[in-house]
Amino acid sequence: MATYGGGAAYRSREGLSTRPGASSDEIQLRIDPMHGDLDDEITGLRSQVKRLRKVAQEIGTEAKFQNDFLNQLQMTLIKAQAGVKNNVRRLNKSIIQNGSNNVVHVVLFALLCFFLVYLWSKMSRK
């Protein structure tokens, strides 16, 4: 195998060899015809890269869709939580108001019962 520079050819793999070009920055590549299946491999790699690019784009689209869905779900849950909080507040106010009314009703019922018992005891003595 020859070394780089100095006008000598460099052989990298079977069938591939380089030749120095007109200037020292140029390298010409020559592929032997008996190793022509590299073109088929390159074409196959291109098609695989295209498929992978499509898959990556579909994954990106799906990730964006799911992110939007999760954001909408989060907003729905925040609204539902606010609604539940308001309803609990209303329920607590209602319980406090009706609870105090219930106590008043129980006290009035007890007074009515005592009054009826008192009247019944007065009438039974006569």
Side-chain angles (χ1 to χ4, degrees):
M1 195 181 312
T3 60
Y4 238 162
Y10 175 71
R11 194 160 184 81
S12 62
R13 289 208 269 168
E14 265 184 58
L16 298 177
S17 62
T18 60
R19 292 182 292 178
S23 71
S24 62
D25 292 339
E26 291 181 6
I27 295 178
Q28 293 180 354
L29 184 63
R30 183 178 59 100
I31 301 175
D32 291 340
M34 64 188 256
H35 297 288
D37 57 59
L38 290 177
D39 287 337
D40 294 337
E41 288 184 36
I42 290 172
T43 304
L45 287 174
R46 280 186 182 151
S47 65
Q48 286 179 353
V49 167
K50 286 179 184 178
R51 277 188 276 149
L52 287 174
R53 184 180 298 139
K54 287 179 184 178
V55 168
Q57 289 172 345
E58 289 176 10
I59 289 172
T61 302
E62 182 67 21
K64 185 181 181 305
F65 171 76
Q66 289 183 4
N67 189 28
D68 292 342
F69 177 74
L70 287 175
N71 287 338
Q72 289 176 352
L73 184 62
Q74 185 178 15
M75 290 302 296
T76 302
L77 288 175
I78 288 171
K79 289 177 183 178
Q81 185 179 14
V84 167
K85 190 175 182 180
N86 286 338
N87 287 336
V88 166
R89 248 191 243 134
R90 288 180 191 164
L91 186 60
N92 284 337
K93 285 180 183 178
S94 175
I95 288 173
I96 290 170
Q97 289 174 353
N98 290 336
S100 63
N101 285 341
N102 287 339
V103 171
V104 170
H105 289 129
V106 169
V107 170
L108 288 175
F109 179 73
L111 287 175
L112 180 66
C113 287
F114 286 131
F115 182 70
L116 290 175
V117 169
Y118 174 75
L119 285 178
W120 181 67
S121 69
K122 286 286 186 176
M123 290 193 169
S124 65
R125 287 190 187 170
K126 291 187 178 184

